Amino acid sequence: MAIVIAYTVGYDVLYQKRYVQVDNPVGSVRLSLRAPCAVPAYACGAISPPANWTQACTRTPPNQLPYCLQSGQKYPNSTWLNNQCRYYDDTLALYPSMEQSAMFVTSRVREDWRTLDCDITQPDCTYTTIPRPRNQSVFYIAEIERFTIQLDHSMYATDFGIQRNAAALRGSLLGCNGKPMTVEYPDIVGQEKCKDTFQVGTLLRAACVESLDTEAYERSEIANVTGARDPESKRSAGVVLIVFIKYSNLNSYDLNTFDYTYTVDFVENTEFKTEQAIYDRNLSAVTVWSRHGVRIIVLQTGSIGKFDFQTLLLTFVGGFGLMAAATVIVDFLATKILPRKNFYAHLKYQEVIDPAGGETPTLPRDSVRSPMLQHAQPDGTSYKAFD
């Protein structure tokens, strides 16, 4: 009995917190992108750049980036091709400009020029692609790992009417080992009255992707991936990251303390590509950008709890049921299974002779509350049964 009570109170009630009703929150997410070395306008007053950060922060020249054609270097894998690098800002690297709970940051672009030399009202009229050298039509957007993403999010527990914005909560970014990561400016995570800011490279590291200049596919999986070509880098093919935001107020016994954690998963053997068509005014020419890059999808999960007396009552009722079940099992083992079952049955039950000549009743020993139990006879006298 003591074990059952300790389990119910210690484990169920205190450790598992089965005195709260739990709701899964929903929410909204807004993402914004900034180019490297730009002091984010959305950085809060409590967090400021290090001294001379703006002056000290410079873009890396292309001759120092091994994936840039201008560097004259070779990729770690000799089969990968270097491409020209362009230093686009956030408005050109981001496509589309607005999505719900998602963002796409371009790392590689293939630019095709197409002209229309026929009447578009005719069924056989199509655009003609103008041949161009690869070093003019394919390029990388330099240093997308250093682009910063602002992630502003809110959660709402609909059953309880509880709403919170991330700027009012404590938060942390978990690495792929499950432990909180230490970040430095321009990364901002979990600071009061601040919106969280991550570099693209920080999210990649949180997903155990150390570099975009590693193979996009495992060699053993290339033949199984639809549309997969020869091995190429993640920078060239693109990657997909899923960012999970988990909210909770169950990490302490104070249900008014809310926090959240970010975990980032890398979707293996998956590339991402989208196309953007830019037409001229009369549709006589079109520029098509085939964009590859980092696709970021944000999913909100978690558990929000609120004290509920009925939930607590059900927990105790379950404990009583467990106690009753334990009693039945122990009685069955003692009187039916164990080697000394007859002895235990004799201790549990007491036979009493009925002087009226009826059947001999068997009384449970635990129903005898004194060493001598008196039973009344029809004539008013009594007989005694000794324990």
Side-chain angles (χ1 to χ4, degrees):
M1 181 180 295
I3 295 177
V4 173
I5 294 175
Y7 173 83
T8 302
V9 176
Y11 182 77
D12 280 349
V13 176
L14 297 181
Y15 183 74
Q16 293 288 336
K17 296 184 176 66
R18 290 182 179 170
Y19 54 86
V20 298
Q21 183 181 356
V22 177
D23 185 22
N24 296 322
V26 296
S28 64
V29 175
R30 180 175 66 90
L31 297 103
S32 305
L33 186 69
R34 284 297 182 96
C37 295
V39 179
Y42 44 72
C44 61
I47 303 295
S48 58
N52 301 321
W53 182 83
T54 304
Q55 293 79 7
C57 183
T58 57
R59 300 296 299 271
T60 305
N63 59 5
Q64 298 180 18
L65 299 174
Y67 52 86
C68 293
L69 186 64
Q70 299 97 311
S71 69
Q73 303 179 41
K74 287 188 177 181
Y75 243 155
N77 188 320
S78 60
T79 63
W80 302 344
L81 297 176
N82 303 71
N83 294 308
Q84 184 187 61
C85 283
R86 298 185 184 180
Y87 289 80
Y88 282 180
D89 62 9
D90 43 87
T91 56
L92 288 173
L94 181 66
Y95 182 79
S97 59
M98 179 64 183
E99 290 187 82
Q100 174 63 32
S101 302
M103 172 181 281
F104 174 60
V105 185
T106 308
S107 61
R108 179 176 72 90
V109 175
R110 179 181 182 88
E111 185 179 65
D112 293 328
W113 291 351
R114 302 173 186 177
T115 59
L116 189 67
D117 300 323
C118 54
D119 185 357
I120 201 170
T121 62
Q122 300 301 314
D124 58 348
C125 181
T126 59
Y127 285 90
T128 302
T129 301
I130 301 175
R132 300 173 63 199
R134 178 183 176 85
N135 60 2
Q136 297 179 14
S137 61
V138 181
F139 59 89
Y140 288 125
I141 297 180
E143 297 188 294
I144 69 160
E145 299 94 331
R146 296 179 60 193
F147 279 68
T148 56
I149 298 172
Q150 179 210 36
L151 206 164
D152 182 20
H153 54 96
S154 301
M155 71 88 183
Y156 181 37
T158 55
D159 289 348
F160 308 144
I162 297 176
Q163 302 181 44
R164 293 291 188 277
N165 182 267
L169 306 179
R170 298 179 303 177
S172 60
L173 172 65
L174 303 183
C176 53
N177 60 358
K179 298 180 180 179
M181 294 178 59
T182 301
V183 298
E184 298 179 354
Y185 192 87
D187 295 329
I188 303 172
V189 183
Q191 297 292 330
E192 186 178 358
K193 299 181 181 179
C194 295
K195 293 179 173 62
D196 295 335
T197 305
F198 306 96
Q199 294 180 91
V200 173
T202 302
L203 294 180
L204 289 169
R205 289 193 299 275
C208 281
V209 179
E210 293 300 325
S211 173
L212 288 176
D213 300 314
T214 55
E215 286 192 4
Y217 303 104
E218 297 179 9
R219 290 185 177 273
S220 60
E221 293 293 332
I222 291 177
N224 300 326
V225 178
T226 302
R229 301 173 292 278
D230 292 334
E232 59 180 330
S233 68
K234 294 181 176 67
R235 188 182 305 276
S236 176
V239 299
V240 177
L241 301 179
I242 301 179
V243 179
F244 294 93
I245 309 177
K246 184 178 180 180
Y247 305 94
S248 180
N249 65 338
L250 302 177
N251 295 323
S252 70
Y253 291 103
D254 182 4
L255 296 181
N256 293 318
T257 300
F258 296 80
D259 55 35
Y260 62 91
T261 56
Y262 295 104
T263 56
V264 187
D265 283 353
F266 165 65
V267 183
E268 297 182 354
N269 301 313
T270 303
E271 67 176 51
F272 191 83
K273 172 188 175 182
T274 187
E275 292 189 347
Q276 176 186 8
I278 307 170
Y279 291 87
D280 69 356
R281 184 170 299 179
N282 58 5
L283 302 182
S284 61
V286 59
T287 300
V288 179
W289 279 11
S290 298
R291 294 173 175 257
H292 295 256
V294 180
R295 173 69 169 174
I296 300 171
I297 302 170
V298 181
L299 300 178
Q300 294 169 282
T301 64
S303 299
I304 301 300
K306 183 179 181 181
F307 176 79
D308 183 66
F309 179 76
Q310 185 176 3
T311 302
L312 178 63
L313 183 61
L314 289 174
T315 300
F316 279 110
V317 169
F320 294 146
L322 182 62
M323 188 180 302
T327 301
V328 171
I329 293 173
V330 170
D331 285 352
F332 178 78
L333 292 175
T335 61
K336 303 297 183 182
I337 303 297
L338 296 179
R340 303 184 65 185
K341 57 186 178 182
N342 293 331
F343 174 72
Y344 296 135
H346 174 72
L347 293 179
K348 182 172 179 62
Y349 298 102
Q350 177 186 18
E351 292 185 357
V352 179
I353 299 176
D354 184 0
E359 295 181 357
T360 301
T362 300
L363 303 177
R365 276 196 170 269
D366 53 13
S367 69
V368 181
R369 300 190 179 182
S370 65
M372 182 180 292
L373 182 63
Q374 296 185 352
H375 296 270
Q377 299 187 85
D379 58 1
T381 62
S382 61
Y383 66 91
K384 299 177 180 178
F386 293 89
D387 188 12

